[in-house]
Amino acid sequence: MTSLEWDLLRRWPDVEAPELVAVDAADRLILDEAADAGLLSTGRRVSVIGDDYGALTLGAVTAQGLGAGVIRVHQDALSGERALAANAARAGVDPAGFRSYPSLSPEVVEGADVVLLKLPRSLEALDDIARLIARHADPEVRVIAGGRLKHMSHSMNDVLGRDFETVEASLARQKARVLRASGPRPGVTAAGHQRARIEEAGLWNCAVGGVFSGARLDIGTRVLLDRMRDIAAATAPSSTVVDLGCGTGLLAVAAARALPDARVIATDQSAAAVASAGLTAEANGMADRIEVLRADAGDALADASADLVLLNPPFHVGGTVHTAIASKLFAAAARILAPGGRLVAVWNSGLGYRRELERVVGPTAQLARTPKFTLTESLRR
């Protein structure tokens, strides 16, 4: 479809491993479908949403050629934005051909007549995206949305069908498929957010589409929340507390409530998580107490700047079960913590992280254990 050399693209600065790829069959199929339909010709107003590491964006820029309009891009992960920029330089693609938007805002798709979409695994996230496109893109917009078969369901057709008159599925190729959507329905309403009362914690939890567990309380976070009073009792009142990989920000809110004189920072590389954490802080009357930062593994925070780090790390990378993200976050916590600071982490017991925590952070003790999860405290050397 294009002259772009796929082998040049990397996941960096996201985690890399032989089994983790920067370009997959869905990326190639989306671009081929769009090109075959004449949707990547010069003059088309193209937006890209959900590009993992830049394959869709760079493929579209290359297909359109010099002098085409600027392609607008939204990637939820900050590491994805950075990988796009790095891959553009690596592949010799002029970065003036695209512009990244950190939030999923109307500006991403305003007036677009082509949207290339890497399907999110969350139906709630897909609903948010479909509503945005239907409300703000050109009425003649064509959406080419693709993913790996193992992550797709017929419910995705239904979600798109609520906002578009026509939804068609392609034939599968190399275990990938695309959905073609067109004809935005009139009167589509703006996406809202989920909000749930976590009674055992006495807190509200808010989530926009795509955040892990939504507004529900996931069982790992529950284990840490149950011990928050004890954790706070062992923490100096004026400490700096970081909720690392904050998700909806529930741990940050609980820490701010338990430590009213502390500085509390919630940070995540996901734009959806950052938006959710801001909503959760506001819903609990903590908007003025909690700093919410979009950063990759807390890289916006200074070395040795925190006294307490709270962490519930993911155990997967995209759709692949993998420990690399947890390892990256353990190393980040070690960097952020001041000597004598503590990392309180909850993790799936079967992953056996204690030895790694001892090596990367410092002496580690078990605080609690359930049939599925282990809660540990590691002291920074």
Side-chain angles (χ1 to χ4, degrees), residues 19-373:
E19 66 274 24
L20 301 176
V21 299
V23 184
D24 66 17
D27 295 317
R28 295 184 177 94
L29 184 56
I30 291 168
L31 288 167
D32 285 347
E33 285 274 338
D36 291 347
L39 301 180
L40 298 182
S41 57
T42 300
R44 287 286 191 171
R45 302 182 302 279
V46 180
S47 294
V48 177
I49 298 175
D51 197 358
D52 292 324
Y53 301 101
L56 294 180
T57 304
L58 300 179
V61 171
T62 303
Q64 286 198 315
L66 296 174
V70 177
I71 291 175
R72 290 167 286 172
V73 189
H74 170 70
Q75 297 161 278
D76 182 65
L78 181 57
S79 59
E81 282 187 24
R82 293 173 176 174
L84 167 58
N87 282 327
R90 195 173 291 114
V93 176
D94 187 347
F98 61 89
R99 178 181 176 186
S100 291
Y101 289 75
S103 63
L104 187 61
S105 59
E107 290 80 9
V108 176
V109 296
E110 191 76 50
D113 60 3
V114 178
V115 176
L116 307 183
L117 169 63
K118 192 71 171 287
L119 285 166
R121 297 181 68 188
S122 160
L123 294 178
E124 291 81 8
L126 180 57
D127 181 58
D128 285 2
I129 294 165
R131 288 171 183 263
L132 187 80
I133 298 169
R135 284 171 56 84
H136 298 286
D138 189 284
E140 301 299 318
V141 67
R142 302 274 295 279
V143 181
I144 307 295
R148 301 299 303 277
L149 290 176
K150 63 182 178 180
H151 301 316
M152 295 178 68
S153 70
H154 196 273
S155 297
M156 292 179 170
N157 301 54
D158 299 334
V159 170
L160 289 171
R162 290 199 292 263
D163 299 320
F164 294 89
E165 298 284 353
T166 302
V167 178
E168 302 171 334
S170 75
L171 296 175
R173 190 183 83 184
Q174 296 179 323
K175 300 182 180 180
R177 188 189 302 278
V178 300
L179 303 177
R180 312 179 193 96
S182 59
R185 295 183 185 276
V188 173
T189 58
H193 66 271
Q194 305 168 53
R195 172 174 158 138
R197 183 71 176 174
I198 310 301
E199 294 296 345
E200 57 264 53
L203 296 171
W204 290 101
N205 197 27
C206 300
V208 301
V211 175
F212 174 72
S213 195
R216 301 180 302 276
L217 177 61
D218 79 90
I219 55 179
T221 298
R222 176 180 281 113
V223 174
L224 204 157
L225 280 176
D226 287 345
R227 296 298 296 267
M228 185 62 75
R229 185 172 298 177
D230 295 336
I231 295 166
T235 304
S238 59
S239 293
T240 295
V241 180
V242 175
D243 181 0
L244 184 61
C246 65
T248 63
L250 195 61
L251 292 176
V253 169
R257 183 179 63 179
L259 292 161
D261 295 321
R263 178 192 181 197
V264 180
I265 302 167
T267 179
D268 203 296
Q269 73 153 335
S270 161
V274 167
S276 299
L279 291 167
T280 297
E282 183 177 1
N284 291 284
M286 297 282 185
D288 61 341
R289 289 283 325 281
I290 298 171
E291 300 173 53
V292 183
L293 298 175
R294 188 176 183 224
D296 184 10
D299 62 2
L301 302 177
D303 293 359
S305 61
D307 304 292
L308 173 65
V309 172
L310 306 173
L311 175 62
N312 179 12
F315 56 88
H316 54 82
V317 178
T320 304
V321 175
H322 208 284
T323 61
I325 292 293
S327 296
K328 181 177 180 177
L329 291 170
F330 294 157
R335 181 189 66 79
I336 293 166
L337 283 168
R342 297 140 60 221
L343 166 64
V344 177
V346 61
W347 38 272
N348 189 301
S349 298
L351 296 174
Y353 284 138
R354 182 164 179 171
R355 183 174 296 180
E356 182 176 1
L357 288 165
E358 292 266 5
R359 176 177 57 82
V360 174
V361 183
T364 298
Q366 180 176 298
L367 298 181
R369 189 180 178 96
T370 70
K372 290 188 176 181
F373 288 92

